[in-house]
Amino acid sequence: MQCSWEEPSFCGGKKMEEAQRKKSDLKGGKIEKMVDHLVNTEINSQRIAAVENCFGASGQPLALPGRVLLGEGILTKECRKKAKPRIFFLFNDILVYGSIVINKRKYSSQHIIPLEEVTLETLPNTWQAKNRWMIKTSKKSFVVSAASVSEREEWIRHIEECVRRQLRATGRPPTTEHAAPWIPDKATDICMRCTQTKFSALTRRHHCRKCGFVVCGDCSRERFLMPRLSSKPLRVCGLCYRELAAEKRKEEGEAGEEGQRRPQRGLAHPPATAYGASSGEDESDKSDEDKDGGSAGSWPTGLEFYASGVKWSSFHS
């Protein structure tokens, strides 16, 4: 994918606040014009068809009236075990990403995120990753990295402007409740709740779906139904389970006098339809990395992601 966008220019000779305001207005107007210019054009239809073809039968149809492909590129996504390259496509109403099987030719494990649910948060660099930011939604939150600061700024600017457009169009308020991102396995060698259990080949790591902590099996025996995340009860740590159960009892108590007269259910034996104990392996323990297949998404041979002068993203005009 060849880069087709130009680095943004900065105003000079004026006060900083005025320059920043004009720059923001110019960028926002540029995206508006870009959408108006590309919608219903043959080149836009061809670009979307090419994306659909790369995902093949495993992907969802992406062509809709009024939908415009604004940009695309490779970002690193911090997965459970390690960071992996993922292909991202920004449309004016959705963000699509997937695993790279053959770069520019075949992708798998398509994920579609409605932009009205997205909130972004810039993050500091680590010794392993640069130019990081978090993509947060009510169902899933994760950290990605761009190859350069300028590419990160371009992605964030385009996404945030598209989010504002979608919120205006739908009349929805910005999302305030977000799923916790999973803390990577390598971040800790011991359970982050009991701080006693040491992980090994025999003692495996689990993730609490409420707080995202890496925990041991003994500290994550409970399950709780969180409808915004899944239709099935999910694994949670003991602390989050107690907090969620207390919130549920409070909600039931506020439902009316009949609810208040009901005896409180003990934490040890909750209703199976709402929340319960987890034993052994369950499907919800699998992250994107597990489902995508371990080897999918290796870097193109001989190329370094953070290499100076190499651009991995492009925004259309």
Side-chain angles (χ1 to χ4, degrees):
M1 278 165 262
Q2 298 296 321
C3 182
S4 60
W5 53 272
E6 298 179 357
E7 294 292 332
S9 59
F10 291 85
C11 301
K14 296 183 179 181
K15 293 182 178 180
M16 181 63 69
E17 290 185 2
E18 183 179 355
Q20 292 284 355
R21 178 181 57 80
K22 288 188 176 182
K23 180 182 175 183
S24 178
D25 291 343
L26 178 62
K27 288 178 176 178
K30 183 178 180 181
I31 293 177
E32 292 276 357
K33 292 179 180 178
M34 188 187 305
V35 172
D36 293 339
H37 173 68
L38 290 173
V39 69
N40 300 324
T41 61
E42 183 65 23
I43 185 63
N44 181 62
S45 298
Q46 292 174 355
R47 288 167 176 166
I48 296 177
V51 177
E52 290 179 327
N53 186 58
C54 285
F55 279 106
S58 64
Q60 295 294 318
L62 298 173
L64 286 178
R67 178 169 288 171
V68 174
L69 178 58
L70 297 174
E72 56 196 87
I74 296 178
L75 304 172
T76 60
K77 177 176 178 288
E78 296 183 12
C79 300
R80 177 174 179 173
K81 296 184 183 298
K82 63 179 181 180
K84 288 195 170 187
R86 293 289 184 259
I87 184 70
F88 280 77
F89 298 94
L90 176 63
F91 296 82
N92 57 324
D93 62 331
I94 57 174
L95 181 66
V96 177
Y97 72 93
S99 298
I100 303 169
V101 181
I102 303 175
N103 192 30
K104 302 181 184 180
R105 294 181 61 185
K106 185 174 178 59
Y107 306 129
S108 65
S109 303
Q110 183 191 79
H111 298 263
I112 300 176
I113 304 175
L115 285 178
E116 61 266 26
E117 299 178 3
V118 170
T119 303
L120 304 182
E121 179 183 350
T122 303
L123 300 176
N125 291 344
T126 66
W127 68 276
Q128 291 178 319
K130 304 175 183 178
N131 316 313
R132 304 164 68 236
W133 78 96
M134 187 184 300
I135 299 174
K136 301 189 290 185
T137 75
S138 61
K139 292 185 178 181
K140 183 180 181 64
S141 299
F142 54 92
V143 177
V144 294
S145 298
S148 66
V149 173
S150 62
E151 284 192 30
R152 178 178 69 175
E153 290 177 351
E154 286 289 289
W155 274 104
I156 290 177
R157 175 171 67 82
H158 279 80
I159 292 174
E160 288 184 337
E161 178 59 26
C162 289
V163 170
R164 286 192 289 268
R165 283 171 48 89
Q166 278 300 103
L167 292 176
R168 287 196 301 267
T170 61
R172 292 178 51 177
T175 301
T176 57
E177 189 175 9
H178 305 106
W182 282 18
I183 295 175
D185 284 3
K186 292 184 179 180
T188 179
D189 291 327
I190 61 173
C191 173
M192 299 178 71
R193 283 305 181 201
C194 69
T195 68
Q196 300 296 320
T197 301
K198 188 172 182 178
F199 299 120
S200 66
L202 298 178
T203 305
R204 61 159 298 178
R205 294 167 169 84
H206 299 278
H207 279 82
C208 172
R209 299 313 186 275
K210 180 66 167 61
C211 65
F213 276 25
V214 184
V215 291
C216 65
D218 287 342
C219 289
S220 59
R221 292 187 178 278
E222 317 296 343
R223 288 184 183 179
F224 200 97
L225 180 63
M226 294 179 281
R228 66 184 177 85
L229 298 182
S230 174
S231 59
K232 298 179 180 180
L234 299 176
R235 181 188 294 271
V236 293
C237 67
L239 176 61
C240 288
Y241 173 77
R242 291 190 291 273
E243 292 176 350
L244 289 166
E247 291 175 5
K248 183 174 179 64
R249 288 197 298 269
K250 182 179 179 181
E251 292 173 358
E252 290 175 345
E254 293 173 350
E257 291 184 1
E258 183 178 352
Q260 292 177 356
R261 287 196 297 270
R262 267 187 232 141
Q264 291 187 349
R265 300 183 177 98
L267 294 179
H269 304 284
T273 55
Y275 39 84
S278 169
S279 59
E281 184 74 14
D282 63 81
E283 184 67 20
S284 65
D285 275 319
K286 294 184 178 180
S287 65
D288 282 347
E289 185 176 6
D290 301 320
K291 296 174 183 176
D292 291 350
S295 63
S298 58
W299 289 113
T301 304
L303 292 178
E304 173 62 39
F305 185 61
Y306 296 114
S308 177
V310 178
K311 292 186 176 180
W312 296 87
S313 303
S314 63
F315 292 89
H316 304 307
S317 59

